[in-house]
Amino acid sequence: MNHSSAAPFVKWAGGKRQLLSQIKERMPEKYNHYFEPFVGGGAVTFELLPANALINDINKALINAYKQICSVPEAFLKAVKKLDAEMWEDGKEYYYFLRESYNHKLMKAEYDVELAALFVFINKHCFNGLYRVNGKGLFNVPYNNSRRASVDENVIMDISEYLQGVTIIDGDFEAACKDAGKADFIFLDSPYAPLNSASFESYTKEGFDIESHKRLAKLFDELTARGCYCMLTNHNTDLINELYDNKGYRIDVVSVKRMINSDASNRTGEEVIICNY
């Protein structure tokens, strides 16, 4: 399938663009269906453009953007371009006005084209493209002083065309994998395990705690028993190694740059790529 311009339309914490070559070289040669329960910005999906794909994320605002781009790309582009064109002389004031509008719609659960446009606008104009919410589920990342365009029209149209054949859902990662069977490929890029107990911040108000990582490891074992091909990426931490070690899985350690860390001296680290095949 050729959608040459398809690429992530948002920046996402933990995005896998820099690991694409290492992920691709470890993939099974053939598989049936493709499942990505933590799609995020979709770097892997848009690189592979798999047929028979299902993408999922628990972040409803993110998945709403995927759905709107899939079903009404022209309306989405019109709404985003309107937000870009109307930016006030005071970009900071304008950003916080739109952030408040976005949060107001979130609280009313208005998952529509306008929310998708606001979602993409604030992603492109917030600090480091970081999606973070407070305890009430309200987006609270500050302005990044950017006035650049929020979207590339060609990218959006190519994404829309590709997504026509993709199942797009929002919910728990276990539910997203319920129909995965023998010879299906599941790419699991969950929220990162905490490097220490005080370092974890979630991108949804539901969070992804240590118990969630244990539940994911159990699912990995269950999918293995079903005959699925599974690949999982995460920080190289004691927790992750304890959950997947001594089970016959291949665990490769790779070096990465961490562009979102505010401390430049901490922008290098290690991740693991874990495969059950």
Side-chain angles (χ1 to χ4, degrees), residues 5-274:
S5 297
F9 59 91
V10 288
K11 185 176 180 181
W12 210 249
K16 288 294 170 283
R17 288 198 206 196
Q18 64 175 304
L19 282 183
L20 285 174
S21 63
Q22 303 204 54
I23 289 168
K24 289 169 71 175
E25 71 184 26
R26 290 168 173 81
M27 287 183 56
E29 289 185 17
K30 294 182 180 180
Y31 56 87
N32 294 331
H33 297 85
Y34 177 87
F35 293 80
E36 192 166 345
F38 306 94
V39 69
V44 175
T45 291
F46 293 132
E47 176 69 17
L48 301 176
L49 298 173
N52 303 314
L54 179 148
I55 60 173
N56 172 80
D57 203 281
I58 200 168
N59 188 312
K60 291 183 179 294
L62 171 66
I63 291 299
N64 174 65
Y66 276 97
K67 289 180 176 178
Q68 300 297 337
I69 290 170
C70 174
S71 59
V72 286
E74 293 88 356
F76 168 79
L77 284 168
K78 182 179 179 181
V80 177
K81 289 177 179 178
K82 186 171 185 287
L83 294 176
D84 285 348
E86 291 180 353
M87 182 175 275
W88 305 337
E89 186 173 330
D90 187 333
K92 183 175 181 180
E93 183 183 358
Y94 183 69
Y95 170 82
Y96 287 117
F97 169 76
L98 291 185
R99 192 180 77 173
E100 185 176 347
S101 300
Y102 174 77
N103 283 329
H104 183 65
K105 288 181 71 66
L106 270 189
M107 290 302 95
K108 295 196 296 181
E110 293 180 353
Y111 295 102
D112 55 15
V113 173
E114 183 185 9
L115 185 80
L118 286 165
F119 174 87
V120 171
F121 180 92
I122 63 174
N123 177 268
K124 293 299 172 71
H125 296 88
C126 73
F127 178 74
N128 262 341
L130 179 65
Y131 193 91
R132 185 189 64 204
V133 295
N134 61 22
K136 295 180 180 179
L138 297 174
F139 184 81
N140 64 356
V141 182
Y143 181 49
N144 69 1
N145 295 313
S146 167
R147 301 179 75 92
R148 65 187 177 127
S150 299
V151 294
D152 180 314
E153 184 171 345
N154 291 331
V155 169
I156 295 301
M157 295 308 296
D158 257 15
I159 289 173
S160 179
E161 185 179 354
Y162 167 67
L163 291 176
Q164 301 304 313
V166 175
T167 300
I168 308 170
I169 60 175
D170 61 85
D172 185 77
F173 61 86
E174 280 193 79
C177 295
K178 66 181 177 63
D179 294 328
K182 186 176 181 179
D184 289 338
F185 177 53
I186 298 92
F187 178 67
L188 298 155
D189 180 33
S190 73
Y192 283 132
L195 293 172
N196 61 65
S197 59
S199 70
F200 193 73
E201 286 192 76
S202 63
Y203 71 86
T204 66
K205 66 179 185 297
E206 293 85 2
F208 201 88
D209 57 14
I210 289 176
E211 289 306 311
S212 298
H213 283 287
K214 291 179 178 178
R215 187 162 61 92
L216 177 58
K218 182 180 178 183
L219 176 64
F220 195 97
D221 295 341
E222 291 173 357
L223 291 169
T224 300
R226 289 188 217 169
C228 301
Y229 300 118
C230 298
M231 180 188 294
L232 179 141
T233 57
N234 214 295
H235 281 321
N236 184 24
T237 66
D238 290 342
L239 171 66
I240 295 300
N241 281 280
E242 287 167 9
L243 290 174
Y244 295 93
D245 204 8
N246 298 317
K247 294 181 177 181
Y249 301 143
R250 173 184 172 182
I251 303 178
D252 296 336
V253 179
V254 295
S255 296
V256 294
K257 295 179 181 179
R258 306 211 185 287
M259 302 312 293
I260 282 182
N261 197 307
S262 57
D263 181 353
S265 66
N266 288 329
R267 287 185 179 173
T268 59
E270 290 183 340
E271 292 193 14
V272 289
I273 301 177
I274 303 173

